[in-house]
Every structure is written in C-alpha cells, then in structure tokens.
C-alpha cells in the first residue's frame, strides 16, 4: 500500500471504529479533511467553535465509555481546543484531539498560524505527540487510543504537521487497533485487609465517584452496598452509580449536599472511598472531613492514594476488579442500628426542595422534566446553580446518564456535550440544563444542532445573572453584586429561532407542564426558556474552604 | 537545609521528554536543584538524573513522574549518585 499521512490517519481511525468526528478545517489540516471527505464510515460534524467540537467528543466518550476524536487546525484552532481538553483531563475522559500543524521545516519560525500545540497541551493531557514522520503515524494513532482508554482514562493530543499529512508511505500491513490494556493484577492482601475493615465497621459509608462509572462497575458497587447494608454517598461525577430511589443512596456529598448526607459522614466510623479523588468540593476542609472515620481508598491511579487524605488502607487497581474480588469476602450484615440512625438523620435533616410541584420554578422544572423524559434520558448541564440543582434533585437511575463538567467546572460544556450525547445515543432523549450565562459560552453550536437536526432539549433557566457567582456575593461579599447581574437582557426565544431552533417560553405559557411536554416530545432540537429570580438560592451550601458541617441554609422549619 | 535525593529516570529519547518532566515539577512548584541527561542504547532511550529536595511531597512527585508515558522507570537514590556528585565538582 502507498498512502498519504492523511489517508493513513483516517484509515486508522476507521479501524478503531470511529464513526463520528467533530471539528473545523483550516489550512494546516486540509489534507486530513480531504481524506476524511472520502471516508464512507466516518461522519463529520462541522461545529462553529473548536471548543464545541471538543465537548461534542466528550459527550460521545462520556456516554459510550470509548475514546472519541475531534479535529482542529493549527494556531487558533488548536488554542480553541484547550479548555475542552483540560476539562477532559480533570474528569478522566478519553478523547483524542488531532490538530494540524505548520510543516516541520517551518516549526519554530513563527509561521502563519503556528503555535506550540505540543507545549501548550503538555500540562492538560494524559499524553501528547508531535508527529515527526509519516511512518510514525502507524504506531502513534493506535498508541493514542491505548493511552486514552487504559488505566485512568484521559485526553491525548496528536499534532500533525501538514507535510507529514501530505507525505506518502509504502507499507504492507496495518497495525492492530489500540485498545484498553488489561490492568495490573490486584494484591490479595490489600483486598483481605479492606474486607476485614468493612466487616468489623459499625458505621461504614461508601463514597463512590467517577472511577466507578469509568470502570463500569456500578452494579458491583450496588451489590457491595446491599450485601453489607452500607449507606452510600456519591460525588458529582458519581451520580447515577446508585439509583437515587435506593434506600441506601444518600445522594451527592459536599458543598451542595443535603444536610443529612454530610451529617451521616460526620458520624461514620469507616469511609470506603471507591474511584474518588477527595476533591475539595466534596470533602470541604479536609482535616474535618469524616473526623471519626478510618479510610479505605480504592483507585486505579496510585498517585491518587494518600494525595489529599492519608488512608488507613488502600487498594490499587481497577475498581471493577477490586469490587468483584471484595464482595465474596464481605459478610452479610443488616446493620440495623446504623441504618436506623441514618434514617433518623434523613428524617430530621431532609433535602428540602422549594416549589417542587411548580414546573416554572428552579427545582420544579428539573423534576417535571425528569418525569416527562423518563428513565432512559441522558442529562447534561452547564455550570452554575442550575447544575447544582439538577445534581441535587434529578432522579438518576443509571451510570453514564449524567454528563457534567465536574473537575474544571466549565461554563459552555452543556450544550455541545449534549450534542455529543445525542450522537452517541441517537435513540435516547437528551436534556441539557443550562443558564443564561453558560449557554452564551458556546451558543454558536445551536447552529450545529439545527444543521444536523440533533434532538437535544435545552432547558434554559434564565435569571439574567451569573447566578452561582451572585449567590457567593450574597453570602460572602456583603451582597455587593458586582459583575454578576446583567444590566439588560437578551431575548433567548428570538435567538433560538434565529438559529433555526424551536423555542418555548414557560414564563408566558398558560400550561407550563403541557408546554414542557410538547417541547420534550417534538422532533429536532428545542429550547425551553424558564425565567427565574436571581435571588433564588441553591441550598444547602458549604462556604468554600469551610468544613462540610458548616452548611448554610436548607434547614427544616426555616 | 533540606535533605537531597537523586531520582534516576529511564525515558524515551525525543524532543518533548524534558518538557514533560521539567514541566511536571514546575507545575507542582517543586524545585529541581540539578539535572543531567545522557542518551543510552544508541539514543532510543535516555537516562535523566534529577537532584531534588527530599521533602514530604516527594512520594507524590515520584508517583506523578512514574505516570508519564515516556518514563519507563524511576529509581530513587537517597544517598546521592555519582553522576550528580561528579558534576558538582565542575561547578565548585
Ligand atoms: C468558563 C467559566 N468562566 C467562569 C466561571 C465562573 N462561574 C461559575 S458559575 C458562574 C455563573 C453561571 O451562570 P449561569 O450559567 O447563568 O447559571 P446559574 O448559576 O445562573 O444557574 C460563573 C461565572 C466558570 N465556571 N466557567
């Protein structure tokens, strides 16, 4: 075979099973686009901003669990991808960004649209490559897939100079596609020690995170919880691991947890941390997190163990394998007194949901949408109050049902991620909760949803403010609302219609529940506008840097 | 003064490796006091010796270095290493 570098790249992507690539062409990646145009199995989604392409890839990867690919040209194309890549790094999402670069001979000359993509992406990728010769593509592309998917997943950047794309290479056989590598074996003594600590604990709590979802072991986590009656909290990334209606599920912990959730953690004597990284939004002030508890930490990434909190026992390995090995060693145990104590705390300090029955209220719209969309729905959010409200009250049932920017907290994530989710799961409903601040950050991709008729349902809660920022100014900056209220408002209905998207306004609707139902069931993309007061808070809230016991708001009888 | 230790890394040899390693230390505000690097095995691999403070963050730093794709192995020499001590003679 004699193929160009660009043809080799596309063929290798086809062999990896890639069927959708989002991106934007430019001078430095035109050879790749020319080759992509000839592909019969890969569909291209032309976004309006490379950050959107990155989040579309993330949406696909988060739903499918498999690496997804996106394209950008050199210089400004590459710099526009950085936020989406950094976001994937913090949430351990396997995406592969392939960028065009100026020809090798011009690298380092400040050529037109030259930027040091390799250098820029070092700190925000799991690994990155600058391809120096056409034959290297044959090992680099499979390696990128292997690295993105193996161990703790993460983003990989491949920067390909234009002359490498154009150069021809003669070769005999294709390399094998890059796959997730089997993880290193477990240490049986670690498992036994963890099991005996769980068996002898009086008041254990499971603390489950995104690692459980990454390793597809939600069933095992639930089995462990049920076998030994262990109440379970989840991180923002772990929502969906335990169905919210399971009596052992205590919901999300940390900054915006229900009061009882953080109070149960205050009392536990053993914290079993599985696939979590002790993020400060989850733990609050670390020395005061679970003050009475021994800690068992299980994770595939050894550098997470003892990073934030020293554990009493740790287990390194793939969480799915750990849980499978652990469960047979765990004694069945009803733990009647601990469970009843948890029930008491739950009753005395419940999650209070304001205006839950009103579909035009901040929480009510989340609950109504959940009811209408059904159990199979995929739920994406942007970043802000709307995100935290959805995390607090949405009745999640399944892993990979919830897509949110956890570690980086990136406004602009929701809408393109929901496009990616819909591309990866075309037969499932996809809802995106966004805010008027966040949606602006990638609003151009409404055109992408329109052009490809991608049936995302955007529920835009509009408080004409940067709500979560404003709430912090309210609570911690003497109500000095500076730069968090918009002085004028934009007409999102017209904007959506201008992008060719159907739009509905729950604020002026005679029957908001019916309007929401129509919007969620009509074909194609729709935007549902929900006007809110900027003074609606998200409670409870732990002040940044404080202990989780110092929750503000959300008390009963207040 | 802090106690020093020497890390000996076996790495792939290509133009980006140094920036991965030095960048990792820089990002975590961990100073590298001394550094030496030589190709081995005809140049496909290199060995890098890093002189660093042996403070409480070192274990975490080593785990992070070990995670880098281009790092094939990390050895820790708490009693120093000839390469670094010989090099030190040149700068006395
Ligand atoms: C790209 C980016 N810039 C700034 C922030 C800081 N920030 C966090 S929440 C928020 C306000 C979000 O407002 P909106 O999207 O309207 O949601 P709301 O809180 O009102 O529901 C801001 C500015 C961020 N998370 N991401």
């Amino acid at each position: 075979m004699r193929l160009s570098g660009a043809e080799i790249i596309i063929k290798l992507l086809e062999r990896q099973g890639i069927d959708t690539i989002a991106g934007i062409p430019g001078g430095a990646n035109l050879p790749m686009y020319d080759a992509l145009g000839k592909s019969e199995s890969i569909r291209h989604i032309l976004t309006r901003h490379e950050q959107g392409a990155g989040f579309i890839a993330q949406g696909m990867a988060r739903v499918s669990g498999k690496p997804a690919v996106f394209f950008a040209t050199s210089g400004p194309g590459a710099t526009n991808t950085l936020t989406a890549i950094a976001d994937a790094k913090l949430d351990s999402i396997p995406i592969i960004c392939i960028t065009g670069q100026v020809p090798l001979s011009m690298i380092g000359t400040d050529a037109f649209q030259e930027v040091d993509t390799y250098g820029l992406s070092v700190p925000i990728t799991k690994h990155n490559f600058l391809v120096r010769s056409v034959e290297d593509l044959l090992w680099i592309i499979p390696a990128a897939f292997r690295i993105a998917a193996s161990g703790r997943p993460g983003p990989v950047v491949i920067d390909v100079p234009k002359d490498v794309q154009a150069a021809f290479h003669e070769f005999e056989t294709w390399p094998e596609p890059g796959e997730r590598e089997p993880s290193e074996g477990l240490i049986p003594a670690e498992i036994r020690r963890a099991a005996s600590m769980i068996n002898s604990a009086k008041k254990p709590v499971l603390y489950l995170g995104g690692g459980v979802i990454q390793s597809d072991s939600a069933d095992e986590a639930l089995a462990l919880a049920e076998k030994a009656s262990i109440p379970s909290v989840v991180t923002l990334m772990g929502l969906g691991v335990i169905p919210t209606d399971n009596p052992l599920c205590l919901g999300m912990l940390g900054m915006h947890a229900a009061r009882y959730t953080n109070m149960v953690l205050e009392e536990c004597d053993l914290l079993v941390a599985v696939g979590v990284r002790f993020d400060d939004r989850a733990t609050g002030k670390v020395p005061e997190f679970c003050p009475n508890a021994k800690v068992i930490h299980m994770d595939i990434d050894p550098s997470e163990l003892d990073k934030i909190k020293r554990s009493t026992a740790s287990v390194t390995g793939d969480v799915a394998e750990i849980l499978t090995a652990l469960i047979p060693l765990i004694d069945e145990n009803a733990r009647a007194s601990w469970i009843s104590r948890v029930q008491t705390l739950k009753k005395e300090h419940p999650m209070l949901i304001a205006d839950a029955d009103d579909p035009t209220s901040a929480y009510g719209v989340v609950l109504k949408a959940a009811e209408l969309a059904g159990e199979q729905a995929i739920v994406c959010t942007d970043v802000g109050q709307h995100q935290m409200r959805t995390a607090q009250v949405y009745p999640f049932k399944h892993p990979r049902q919830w897509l949110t920017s956890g570690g980086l907290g990136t406004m602009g994530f929701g809408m393109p991620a929901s496009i990616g989710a819909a591309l990866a799961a075309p037969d499932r409903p996809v809802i995106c909760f966004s805010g008027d601040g966040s949606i602006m950050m990638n609003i151009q991709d409404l055109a992408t949803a329109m052009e490809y008729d991608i049936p995302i349902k955007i529920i835009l809660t509009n408080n004409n403010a940067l709500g979560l920022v404003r709430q912090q100014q309210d609570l911690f900056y003497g109500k000095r609302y500076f730069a968090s209220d918009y002085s004028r408002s934009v007409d999102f209905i017209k904007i959506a219609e201008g992008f060719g998207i159907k739009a509905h306004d729950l604020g002026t609707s005679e029957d908001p529940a019916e309007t929401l139902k129509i919007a969620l069931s009509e074909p194609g993309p729709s935007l549902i506008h929900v006007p809110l007061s900027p003074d609606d808070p998200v409670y409870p809230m732990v002040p940044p840097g404080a202990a989780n016991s110092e929750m503000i708001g959300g008390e009963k009888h207040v | 003064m802090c106690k020093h230790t020497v890390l000996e890394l076996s790495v792939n040899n290509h133009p980006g490796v140094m920036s991965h390693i030095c960048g990792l230390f820089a990002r975590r505000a961990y100073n590298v006091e001394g550094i030496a690097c030589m190709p081995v095995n005809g140049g496909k691999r290199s060995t890098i010796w890093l002189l660093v403070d042996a403070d409480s963050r070192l274990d975490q730093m080593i785990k992070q270095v070990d995670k880098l794709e281009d790092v094939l192995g990390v050895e820790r020499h708490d009693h120093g290493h000839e390469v670094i001590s010989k090099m030190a003679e040149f700068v006395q």
Side-chain angles (χ1 to χ4, degrees), chain A residues 127-139:
Chain A
H127 191 56
N128 60 359
F129 297 95
L130 172 57
V131 185
R132 289 174 188 277
S133 78
V134 60
E135 55 268 27
D136 284 348
L137 287 166
L138 288 169
W139 69 266

Side-chain angles (χ1 to χ4, degrees), chain A residues 383-386 409-411 435-438 441 461 463 465-469:
Chain A
V383 172
Q385 290 176 318
H386 61 277
T410 310
M411 294 167 70
D436 56 300
S438 289
M441 295 218 181
T461 51
N463 50 17
L466 297 167
L468 201 57
V469 169

Side-chain angles (χ1 to χ4, degrees), chain A residues 51 83 382-389 405 408-413 433-441 460-472 483-484 486 532-534 536 538:
Chain A
Q51 192 187 103
T83 303
D382 260 303
V383 172
Q385 290 176 318
H386 61 277
Q387 174 194 32
M388 290 302 131
R389 287 180 183 127
S405 169
L408 199 64
T410 310
M411 294 167 70
F413 171 92
F433 291 97
S434 189
D436 56 300
S438 289
I439 197 170
M440 285 293 191
M441 295 218 181
L460 177 70
T461 51
N462 180 2
N463 50 17
N464 207 38
L466 297 167
L468 201 57
V469 169
R470 196 176 183 281
Q471 175 170 344
Q472 294 215 24
S484 58
Y486 298 118
L532 293 182
S533 158
D536 269 353
V538 175

Side-chain angles (χ1 to χ4, degrees), chain A residues 33-53:
Chain A
Y33 266 89
D34 193 42
L36 179 58
K38 293 176 199 139
S39 170
E40 282 173 10
S41 57
I42 305 181
R43 170 188 196 194
H44 183 254
I45 302 290
L46 178 61
T47 62
R48 269 60 175 178
H49 190 294
E50 290 83 354
Q51 192 187 103

Side-chain angles (χ1 to χ4, degrees), chain A residues 61-66 91-94 148-154 180-183 186 207-222 237-238 241 273-276 298-301 315-325 327 399-400:
Chain A
R62 285 179 193 242
V63 165
S64 69
K66 298 203 188 78
D91 286 349
S92 309
I93 306 301
S150 298
R152 177 179 185 171
R180 184 183 171 88
E181 285 180 320
S183 37
L186 305 174
Y207 163 31
L208 306 166
V212 179
I213 292 178
Q214 296 288 4
S215 68
D216 290 320
S217 57
D219 289 345
E220 287 81 358
L222 183 59
M237 292 298 291
V241 167
V274 190
V276 297
M298 310 175 181
D299 205 283
I300 197 161
D301 180 353
V315 187
T316 312
D318 178 64
V319 164
E321 292 171 21
I322 294 173
L323 292 175
T324 306
I327 291 168
R400 299 196 185 281

Side-chain angles (χ1 to χ4, degrees), chain A residues 2-12 31-32 35 131 133-135 137-138 141 160-169 171 174:
Chain A
R2 197 178 123 81
L3 296 175
S4 73
E7 290 164 334
I8 291 172
I9 292 171
I10 301 302
K11 192 75 202 163
L12 289 171
M32 272 189 283
V131 185
S133 78
V134 60
E135 55 268 27
L137 287 166
L138 288 169
I141 304 273
V160 195
K162 191 173 183 179
D163 52 343
V164 173
Q165 298 170 45
F168 278 84
H169 178 49
F171 60 104
W174 289 104

Side-chain angles (χ1 to χ4, degrees), chain A residues 127-465:
Chain A
H127 191 56
N128 60 359
F129 297 95
L130 172 57
V131 185
R132 289 174 188 277
S133 78
V134 60
E135 55 268 27
D136 284 348
L137 287 166
L138 288 169
W139 69 266
I140 286 179
I141 304 273
F145 279 84
R146 170 181 53 76
I147 293 165
S150 298
R152 177 179 185 171
V156 176
V157 166
I158 310 174
D159 196 29
V160 195
K162 191 173 183 179
D163 52 343
V164 173
Q165 298 170 45
F168 278 84
H169 178 49
E170 177 122 27
F171 60 104
E172 298 291 311
T173 49
W174 289 104
E176 286 304 305
E179 303 286 347
R180 184 183 171 88
E181 285 180 320
S183 37
E184 285 177 33
L186 305 174
I187 301 173
E190 290 186 343
I191 308 276
R192 284 196 299 272
R193 174 150 187 232
S196 89
M197 284 172 70
I198 294 172
N199 287 337
S200 59
K202 294 260 171 322
K203 301 192 276 182
V205 170
L206 279 180
Y207 163 31
L208 306 166
V212 179
I213 292 178
Q214 296 288 4
S215 68
D216 290 320
S217 57
D219 289 345
E220 287 81 358
L222 183 59
L224 172 63
E226 290 188 325
K227 185 166 187 191
S229 308
I230 312 178
S232 305
V233 301
V234 294
T235 67
L236 180 67
M237 292 298 291
L239 286 167
V241 167
I242 302 267
T244 38
D245 55 1
N246 186 299
L248 291 169
C249 180
L250 306 183
M252 179 172 71
L253 82 163
M255 184 176 271
H256 291 290
R259 286 188 160 258
Y260 72 86
T261 311
N262 285 339
M263 293 171 83
V264 169
L265 288 165
E266 286 287 302
E267 292 190 16
C268 72
D269 66 355
L270 177 69
L271 184 72
V272 185
V274 190
V276 297
R277 58 187 181 85
F278 290 81
D279 181 81
D280 52 275
R281 288 293 191 264
T283 62
K285 196 176 181 182
V286 176
E288 286 167 49
F289 178 58
C290 300
N292 309 315
K294 292 182 181 162
V295 176
I296 306 175
H297 194 176
M298 310 175 181
D299 205 283
I300 197 161
D301 180 353
S303 73
E304 284 305 334
L305 306 171
D306 299 327
K307 183 182 83 173
I308 306 280
K309 193 166 168 86
R310 192 157 274 287
S311 46
T312 323
S314 56
V315 187
T316 312
D318 178 64
V319 164
E321 292 171 21
I322 294 173
L323 292 175
T324 306
L326 184 68
I327 291 168
L329 307 184
I330 297 295
D331 301 336
E332 280 184 42
N333 187 340
R335 267 182 237 283
S337 74
W338 177 224
I339 296 293
S340 108
R341 174 67 188 150
V342 169
Q343 292 309 332
T344 307
L345 284 171
K346 199 168 184 172
K347 221 172 278 151
E348 285 174 1
H349 308 277
M351 178 71 203
L352 299 179
I353 306 175
D355 303 314
D357 298 328
D358 175 3
T360 66
S361 77
Y363 285 104
V365 71
V366 177
L367 292 170
K368 191 74 200 173
E371 179 192 317
L372 291 168
E375 266 189 31
Q376 288 309 311
I378 296 171
V379 183
C380 306
T381 70
D382 260 303
V383 172
Q385 290 176 318
H386 61 277
Q387 174 194 32
M388 290 302 131
R389 287 180 183 127
T390 312
Q392 286 173 325
V393 306
Y394 197 98
F396 294 105
K397 289 273 192 181
H398 311 289
R400 299 196 185 281
Q401 184 188 9
W402 161 246
L403 278 51
T404 203
S405 169
L408 199 64
T410 310
M411 294 167 70
F413 171 92
M415 214 253 293
S418 67
I419 294 177
L423 288 166
D427 40 13
R428 289 171 65 183
V430 178
I431 333 178
C432 172
F433 291 97
S434 189
D436 56 300
S438 289
I439 197 170
M440 285 293 191
M441 295 218 181
N442 274 317
I443 199 160
Q444 70 289 335
D445 279 316
L446 281 178
T448 312
M450 179 272 295
E451 182 174 354
Y452 298 93
D453 200 28
I454 297 169
I456 53 170
K457 306 296 171 184
I458 302 155
I459 300 180
L460 177 70
T461 51
N462 180 2
N463 50 17
N464 207 38

